[in-house]
Amino acid sequence: MKHIIYILLLFVSSISLFAANDEMPVIGYWGVPENNTSDENFRVMSECGFNVSLFPYSSTQTLVRACRIANKYGIRVLGKCPEMVSSPTQTANTLKREQGFFGYFMQDEPSAPEIKARQKEIERLKAVDNTHCFYINLLPYSEPQKILPAAKTRTYPEYLKTASATSCQQISFDFYPILTSGIRETWYHTLEMVRQESLTSGKPFWGFVLSVPHAKYPKPTMGSLRLQIYANLVYGAQAIQYFTYWTPGKNPNFNFHDAPVDTEGRKTNTYALVQEMNRELRSVARLFYGAKVRSVYHLGVVAQGAKKLETAPVNIRQLKVTGKNGAVVSEIEKDGHLYLAILNKDYKRDMRVDLSTLNNLPCHLTKSLKEEPMEPFYIVFPGDILLLKLR
């Protein structure tokens, strides 16, 4: 009996953040590096609002050490090491017992043939450990003429389907839509395609937000962080990943700088901004995590690949937005209630929302999810969302 109880306890302790404490994963892609593994660095990361640190390690030993230190501060490690391929049985037996282990980082931005190769490696690990996630992050549909040859598929939906057919429990893709010249036109089209594959496969998707300026990508602002995060959430994302938390080393092609912490782990001006955003995200995420997004429409300016809102949502007589870029309108179902999220697609300017209701059921939800009486109009800040409880 004691042996059975031990096995059950071990199983429960190994379950990833998918089901733990109803808490959405907030992932630092390029989290605390191996050579900087320390209590202080994981504490600082935790205080910034992250609960998962992603990094490739040189050995199982260094990965385990990071897991044990990270776990003290409420962080789990999404990592990889060479032994995952060279000795998968032994490595999975070791990692599955670590409470601070989140999952197996298999590959970033692979082609379709590489995805199939990773699946064979996943099967070997999963034969020993089926309680942690397996992670592959996909190429974005940012520049189709370049991406599809790299993906080695004819279409992006075909590429997504190749990934969803693996044993990965999620569909993860990166996309950095905000350039110094404006917003990429293919962003919402990508979200539409990813959402459709997520619905078809039954697997949740994970989205990204850019937090390290480089090349043609500008420094983040509260408006740009909000827009990227909330756009992913209103389309149904079940995890938010920051690229990056830790500033990567020198790269002549990209000139990475001013991530939340620099290459030595010292806080930059971006740290406080991301910390504030994550504080807000953790509160709002309670509505989106585990919810079902029933529909997504655009109002005003309709983006490429998106659908126009033709009829008013439940219990809303009239909905009008006034703003340069329009809005995304998303109906969300959770715990037997129906909610509405209205996203301002402009990360630089406010948007006005005028509403009239059919009855007394709709109410306004604050960022802390407190219910308040409806007002005739609202001003939505750049990249921000307005939340309503419809019934």
Side-chain angles (χ1 to χ4, degrees):
M1 179 62 73
K2 288 182 179 179
H3 180 66
I4 295 174
I5 292 173
Y6 171 76
I7 292 175
L8 289 172
L9 289 173
L10 181 61
F11 173 79
V12 171
S13 69
S14 298
I15 296 177
S16 77
L17 282 173
F18 279 109
N21 303 320
D22 197 31
E23 184 177 57
M24 178 177 286
V26 180
I27 302 167
Y29 189 110
W30 212 253
V32 176
E34 176 179 326
N35 293 338
N36 300 90
T37 299
S38 69
D39 282 76
E40 175 65 10
N41 285 330
F42 275 112
R43 180 188 64 79
V44 172
M45 186 179 190
S46 175
E47 290 176 353
C48 197
F50 292 91
N51 55 27
V52 179
S53 176
L54 181 151
F55 198 82
Y57 291 83
S58 63
S59 67
T60 306
Q61 182 180 8
T62 55
L63 174 52
V64 167
R65 178 171 178 265
C67 289
R68 292 179 180 178
I69 294 176
N71 190 55
K72 299 179 189 177
Y73 302 97
I75 293 178
R76 296 187 184 186
V77 177
L78 178 52
K80 67 184 300 184
C81 58
E83 294 92 331
M84 284 166 46
V85 177
S86 61
S87 53
T89 299
Q90 181 180 353
T91 302
N93 264 318
T94 298
L95 293 175
K96 74 177 183 180
R97 294 178 172 85
E98 295 297 325
Q99 292 186 4
F101 181 60
F102 184 83
Y104 301 86
F105 173 23
M106 304 305 298
Q107 190 172 344
D108 183 50
E109 298 188 340
S111 65
E114 287 174 324
I115 291 172
K116 294 176 181 178
R118 297 295 82 72
Q119 171 61 15
K120 294 178 180 179
E121 296 168 3
I122 290 172
E123 289 171 355
R124 299 186 189 103
L125 294 163
K126 191 176 181 181
V128 179
D129 181 8
N130 63 1
T131 62
H132 290 93
C133 79
F134 298 92
Y135 174 92
I136 293 173
N137 182 56
L138 303 177
L139 289 158
Y141 191 66
S142 52
E143 298 176 73
Q145 68 278 13
K146 294 181 180 179
I147 296 304
L148 293 179
K152 297 184 179 179
T153 56
R154 292 169 297 174
T155 66
Y156 195 69
E158 181 182 328
Y159 177 60
L160 293 172
K161 195 169 293 293
T162 302
S164 69
T166 69
S167 296
C168 292
Q169 296 92 327
Q170 70 292 317
I171 302 168
S172 174
F173 76 106
D174 57 57
F175 197 121
Y176 311 122
I178 300 176
L179 310 174
T180 52
S181 58
I183 297 179
R184 291 184 187 272
E185 293 182 355
T186 54
W187 184 28
Y188 291 104
H189 191 190
T190 303
L191 284 167
E192 293 281 346
M193 290 187 284
V194 172
R195 168 173 156 74
Q196 185 56 54
E197 183 56 36
S198 176
L199 292 172
T200 301
S201 65
K203 294 186 176 184
F205 78 86
W206 294 3
F208 265 85
V209 54
L210 186 68
S211 52
V212 58
H214 65 282
K216 54 191 174 184
Y217 300 101
K219 285 186 177 181
T221 64
M222 198 62 179
S224 69
L225 292 179
R226 278 175 168 160
L227 178 59
Q228 292 173 83
I229 287 173
Y230 290 140
N232 277 295
L233 292 184
V234 299
Y235 268 87
Q238 293 296 290
I240 294 296
Q241 308 172 76
Y242 282 81
F243 182 83
T244 61
Y245 167 70
W246 197 282
T247 301
K250 291 183 179 181
N251 185 315
N253 297 321
F254 296 108
N255 185 30
F256 294 113
H257 62 96
D258 291 297
V261 298
D262 64 17
T263 55
E264 303 301 318
R266 296 169 298 207
K267 297 178 184 177
T268 69
N269 291 334
T270 308
Y271 182 93
L273 188 68
V274 169
Q275 185 181 49
E276 181 183 356
M277 183 69 247
N278 280 342
R279 191 177 297 117
E280 183 176 300
L281 170 60
R282 284 192 176 280
S283 180
V284 174
R286 291 183 291 126
L287 172 62
F288 290 94
Y289 191 52
K292 175 184 177 182
V293 174
R294 292 182 23 163
S295 63
V296 183
Y297 295 100
H298 285 229
L299 189 58
V301 178
V302 180
Q304 175 185 335
K307 300 174 184 176
K308 181 181 179 180
L309 180 67
E310 300 285 0
T311 58
V314 174
N315 292 325
I316 299 292
R317 177 182 286 109
Q318 188 174 20
L319 171 61
K320 177 185 176 183
V321 299
T322 305
K324 183 177 180 181
N325 292 351
V328 178
V329 181
S330 174
E331 286 189 341
I332 304 143
E333 186 176 356
K334 187 173 184 181
D335 299 332
H337 296 286
L338 186 63
Y339 301 89
L340 191 72
I342 304 172
L343 168 71
N344 179 3
K345 293 194 292 181
D346 194 326
Y347 67 96
K348 293 182 177 180
R349 304 169 187 85
D350 293 345
M351 177 183 73
R352 175 171 169 143
V353 178
D354 289 270
L355 290 156
S356 61
T357 62
L358 289 174
N359 51 48
N360 296 323
L361 283 176
C363 65
H364 171 230
L365 285 184
T366 66
K367 290 288 180 64
S368 62
L369 305 188
K370 177 184 177 183
E371 297 182 12
E372 293 183 339
M374 292 284 289
E375 300 289 343
F377 74 90
Y378 295 89
I379 300 298
V380 184
F381 295 139
D384 209 350
I385 52 172
L386 173 66
L387 297 173
L388 308 175
K389 183 178 181 182
L390 298 178
R391 67 181 183 202

